[in-house]
Amino acid sequence: MRASGLTRTRGFTLMEIVVALSLLATSGLVLFAWIQQNLEAARRIQEAQARAQLQLEGSSWLSLINPIVEPQGERQQGNLRLDWTSTPLEPPRNEFSYGENIVPRWELGLYQVHARLRSGEAGAAVEWNQIVTGWRPATRGGDAGGRAP
């Protein structure tokens, strides 16, 4: 005989367990996809940071190169290798020290330099263009685009 006001609780039904497990599995998949997306973004940021660091090192290294003397070439230091080619933007012109001499001391020119720096250990490489000034001592006898002595 049953008591009229009392109901018996028997626990979860099978349907409730299936719904709870499917919700848990779906939220787990969404969570793992979000984690994977964040890891991929972190990897891309690391690669971009490594390329930016390489370009900074290469740009400072390129400032030591005189494109009038070496219009193209390569340098190796440790695991880094720099290759470059330069194209003149203007012909070299004589530099005059106004107030001192009429005789030019330097020939100056602007060059577009295409550079590539590769890192051997990481396999990373970066390419960029940079405008660099080239210089050499001026020839005393002739005129390379400036005033005559």
Side-chain angles (χ1 to χ4, degrees), residues 89-141:
L89 295 176
E90 293 185 17
R93 296 181 182 186
N94 286 330
E95 170 273 336
F96 293 94
S97 299
Y98 294 104
E100 286 185 26
N101 299 338
I102 294 180
V103 179
R105 292 183 295 179
W106 302 100
E107 285 183 28
L108 303 175
L110 283 179
Y111 290 81
Q112 175 80 32
V113 178
H114 178 78
R116 180 175 183 190
L117 184 63
R118 288 177 282 186
S119 174
E121 69 184 23
V126 64
E127 290 188 41
W128 74 98
N129 291 321
Q130 185 172 336
I131 295 177
V132 177
T133 304
W135 70 97
R136 67 180 164 215
T139 57
R140 299 289 180 181

Side-chain angles (χ1 to χ4, degrees), residues 37-115:
Q37 189 177 21
N38 284 339
L39 289 174
E40 181 67 23
R43 183 190 61 78
R44 286 194 313 265
I45 288 170
Q46 256 184 336
E47 288 176 358
Q49 190 175 20
R51 286 191 309 270
Q53 180 65 34
L54 268 178
Q55 187 170 350
L56 281 174
E57 291 178 19
S59 190
S60 64
W61 200 0
L62 199 58
S63 68
L64 302 174
I65 293 170
N66 185 351
I68 285 183
V69 178
E70 296 177 279
Q72 63 185 17
E74 65 182 53
R75 298 257 169 93
Q76 179 98 23
Q77 181 176 359
N79 62 347
L80 296 176
R81 179 180 171 172
L82 176 69
D83 300 312
W84 75 91
T85 57
S86 62
T87 308
L89 295 176
E90 293 185 17
R93 296 181 182 186
N94 286 330
E95 170 273 336
F96 293 94
S97 299
Y98 294 104
E100 286 185 26
N101 299 338
I102 294 180
V103 179
R105 292 183 295 179
W106 302 100
E107 285 183 28
L108 303 175
L110 283 179
Y111 290 81
Q112 175 80 32
V113 178
H114 178 78

Side-chain angles (χ1 to χ4, degrees), residues 21-37:
L21 285 177
S22 64
L23 286 174
L24 184 64
T26 302
S27 63
L29 287 175
V30 169
L31 180 65
F32 284 129
W34 178 72
I35 290 171
Q36 178 63 29
Q37 189 177 21

